[in-house]
Amino acid sequence: MDINELKKQSDLSYDIAVAKRNALEKAHSRQVVVYREHLFRADPVTICLVRTLKESRDRFCVLDTNSNPVEITDPAEFLSILVERNQESLNTYYQVYRTFTKKDA
Amino acid sequence: MSSGVLLFCFDTEHTRYHKILERCIRLVKKNICREITVVTNFDTYQKMSPMGFINYKFIEPELGNTKLGKEWNNVDRHMAYELSPYDTTLVMDIDYFCFSDNLKQLFDTGYDFLVPDTAHDLTGRNTFDQRRRSMIPMVWATVLLFKKNDKVRKIFDTVKYIKQHYSYFTEMYRIYVKNLRNDYLFAMALQQINGFVGYETFPFALPTLPPDCEVVKITDEGISWKHGDQISYVENQDVHVLNKEIVNV
């Protein structure tokens, strides 16, 4: 490979990596939700935990992002908020990610 | 219960901070949708363009602090508790641009005091990790959320105390930066008042643009910048801009 072409490709890969990292960070920020005056992260761990607990209980306790316990009395509502925010943030990330793959093609 | 955003803005000989404030306020109005109070002096106020309904509180800034050899009037943050007219206050640096409504939901939380403890370097260089040399976890006082109550008043009293004895505390905590920085003040105060254990923080890192990035364009949706021969941009993501030349963009 021509050294100039290599450098160009390397620079492009670096730019894409930085942009991807920023888009992912944006998604992480967007996944933060407030529920019952507490902060939660709408990530796969929280969603799976809430869904699992919801299967066997009407009310349960989970930890917020600062490790404070919070009683969840309406699991369906909470799960719905988490899933909605998770997908909103990841859909936005997906749109940005598609522009990276076009650039790299 | 009242809630609002508190901003500090003082022009200096070198930097027209009121220009940065005008951009900041437009984004706060669009994305945070809360009442705004600006702490400023009359000289700065006279240069501001009309910005709609804004509360102003006039104080004379404490002088003497510098950054890169230039005047830097940033040491009045410890008075935020007294100056805020709100029960719940979001204090922000005016160079923190809210391109998203992420901070808005924090008003709905029950926490007494929230502060970010990490920053995300948008250039991918992890520039801000160097502060680990200090013996305490650092915070970014760029954005603070607090409620008015006895506990929070004591936090601000501790900030004032540490500010009074700043050189002693910076030696004790192995902080080598000699100018006064709110980040360090609040980090030390929070550790002292919280019994040397943890405190509640934002669950996300503050997206930050290091000072060696040249901002080339800024709109109501996002910002693009140049670093070396690389031009990058972000949209709908908050950005803390450290290069004050943004005034000229």
Side-chain angles (χ1 to χ4, degrees), chain B residues 20-56:
Chain B
I20 303 176
L21 175 81
E22 288 168 9
R23 284 186 189 280
C24 175
I25 282 183
R26 198 163 66 230
L27 292 168
V28 169
K29 282 189 169 184
K30 182 186 170 200
N31 292 317
I32 309 294
C33 310
R34 285 292 194 285
E35 199 174 285
I36 300 167
T37 295
V38 175
V39 180
T40 186
N41 58 358
F42 198 64
D43 286 348
T44 308
Y45 170 75
Q46 283 180 311
K47 294 173 199 156
M48 293 175 193
S49 305
M51 290 180 282
F53 180 74
I54 306 283
N55 301 307
Y56 292 96

Side-chain angles (χ1 to χ4, degrees), chain A residues 7 11 14-15 18 21-23 25-26 28-30 32-34 36-41 64-66 68 85 99 103, chain B residues 101-102 105-106 108-111 114 120-126 199-201 203-205 225 229-230 234-237:
Chain A
K7 186 176 181 306
D11 286 347
Y14 177 79
D15 292 351
V18 171
R21 207 178 138 201
N22 289 339
E25 190 65 33
K26 176 181 167 183
H28 284 151
S29 301
R30 194 64 193 159
V32 173
V33 294
V34 176
R36 292 179 62 97
E37 298 190 342
H38 287 262
L39 287 163
F40 296 91
R41 192 179 287 286
D64 71 5
T65 57
N66 283 300
N68 301 307
R85 185 59 75 88
T99 65
K103 277 183 192 170
Chain B
D101 61 356
N102 283 351
Q105 60 179 349
L106 297 179
D108 300 327
T109 63
Y111 306 100
L114 275 182
H120 169 70
D121 181 347
L122 287 164
T123 64
R125 294 174 295 160
N126 297 327
Y199 39 85
E200 286 163 341
T201 57
F204 53 85
W225 68 90
D229 58 355
Q230 179 192 14
V234 290
E235 280 183 333
N236 303 318
Q237 181 177 14

Side-chain angles (χ1 to χ4, degrees), chain B residues 77-89:
Chain B
R77 183 69 56 93
H78 65 94
M79 296 197 292
Y81 188 91
E82 290 84 8
L83 290 169
S84 172
Y86 312 115
D87 297 315
T88 303
T89 306

Side-chain angles (χ1 to χ4, degrees), chain B residues 175-202:
Chain B
I175 291 168
Y176 299 125
V177 177
K178 291 301 171 200
N179 60 358
L180 193 142
R181 291 194 54 163
N182 289 305
D183 304 333
Y184 297 128
L185 267 184
F186 278 88
M188 292 186 279
L190 285 166
Q191 212 207 27
Q192 294 271 328
I193 195 78
N194 284 300
F196 303 92
V197 290
Y199 39 85
E200 286 163 341
T201 57
F202 284 23

Side-chain angles (χ1 to χ4, degrees), chain B:
Chain B
M1 295 286 277
S2 62
S3 62
V5 179
L6 187 71
L7 305 166
F8 290 78
C9 177
F10 302 101
D11 276 2
T12 64
E13 185 189 340
H14 303 281
T15 309
R16 294 172 296 153
Y17 282 98
H18 73 276
K19 286 286 177 196
I20 303 176
L21 175 81
E22 288 168 9
R23 284 186 189 280
C24 175
I25 282 183
R26 198 163 66 230
L27 292 168
V28 169
K29 282 189 169 184
K30 182 186 170 200
N31 292 317
I32 309 294
C33 310
R34 285 292 194 285
E35 199 174 285
I36 300 167
T37 295
V38 175
V39 180
T40 186
N41 58 358
F42 198 64
D43 286 348
T44 308
Y45 170 75
Q46 283 180 311
K47 294 173 199 156
M48 293 175 193
S49 305
M51 290 180 282
F53 180 74
I54 306 283
N55 301 307
Y56 292 96
K57 291 221 169 182
F58 295 109
I59 64 167
E60 279 310 311
E62 186 180 325
L63 304 176
N65 204 29
T66 57
K67 187 179 188 182
L68 302 173
K70 292 179 179 172
E71 182 186 358
W72 191 30
N73 299 331
N74 73 323
V75 299
D76 303 299
R77 183 69 56 93
H78 65 94
M79 296 197 292
Y81 188 91
E82 290 84 8
L83 290 169
S84 172
Y86 312 115
D87 297 315
T88 303
T89 306
L90 182 71
V91 186
M92 276 172 40
D93 281 2
I94 55 172
D95 53 9
Y96 187 84
F97 296 103
C98 303
F99 295 110
S100 79
D101 61 356
N102 283 351
L103 293 179
K104 184 180 169 186
Q105 60 179 349
L106 297 179
F107 284 106
D108 300 327
T109 63
Y111 306 100
D112 293 318
F113 191 95
L114 275 182
V115 63
D117 63 348
T118 48
H120 169 70
D121 181 347
L122 287 164
T123 64
R125 294 174 295 160
N126 297 327
T127 323
F128 308 112
D129 280 359
Q130 59 186 326
R131 300 199 302 177
R132 285 184 185 158
R133 196 167 49 177
S134 173
M135 59 190 286
I136 54 167
M138 277 300 151
V139 300
W140 287 83
T142 310
V143 184
L144 303 171
L145 183 92
F146 69 85
K147 292 188 190 306
K148 282 202 174 178
N149 58 36
D150 193 48
K151 181 184 169 187
V152 174
R153 188 184 52 74
K154 286 175 182 165
I155 292 174
F156 278 92
D157 285 349
T158 310
V159 171
K160 287 182 175 67
Y161 179 78
I162 290 177
K163 181 174 170 288
Q164 260 184 319
H165 306 281
Y166 192 66
S167 55
Y168 167 78
F169 279 100
T170 50
E171 286 292 326
M172 186 169 82
Y173 282 112
R174 204 180 295 141
I175 291 168
Y176 299 125
V177 177
K178 291 301 171 200
N179 60 358
L180 193 142
R181 291 194 54 163
N182 289 305
D183 304 333
Y184 297 128
L185 267 184
F186 278 88
M188 292 186 279
L190 285 166
Q191 212 207 27
Q192 294 271 328
I193 195 78
N194 284 300
F196 303 92
V197 290
Y199 39 85
E200 286 163 341
T201 57
F202 284 23
F204 53 85
L206 286 191
T208 304
L209 210 49
D212 57 356
C213 294
E214 178 194 347
V215 175
V216 291
K217 191 177 179 189
I218 181 164
T219 67
D220 283 355
E221 279 72 45
I223 191 167
S224 56
W225 68 90
K226 188 174 178 212
H227 178 250
D229 58 355
Q230 179 192 14
I231 290 189
S232 310
Y233 71 98
V234 290
E235 280 183 333
N236 303 318
Q237 181 177 14
D238 296 357
V239 180
H240 182 205
V241 180
L242 296 182
N243 187 338
K244 302 304 174 267
E245 295 304 317
I246 192 172
V247 167
N248 303 316
V249 178

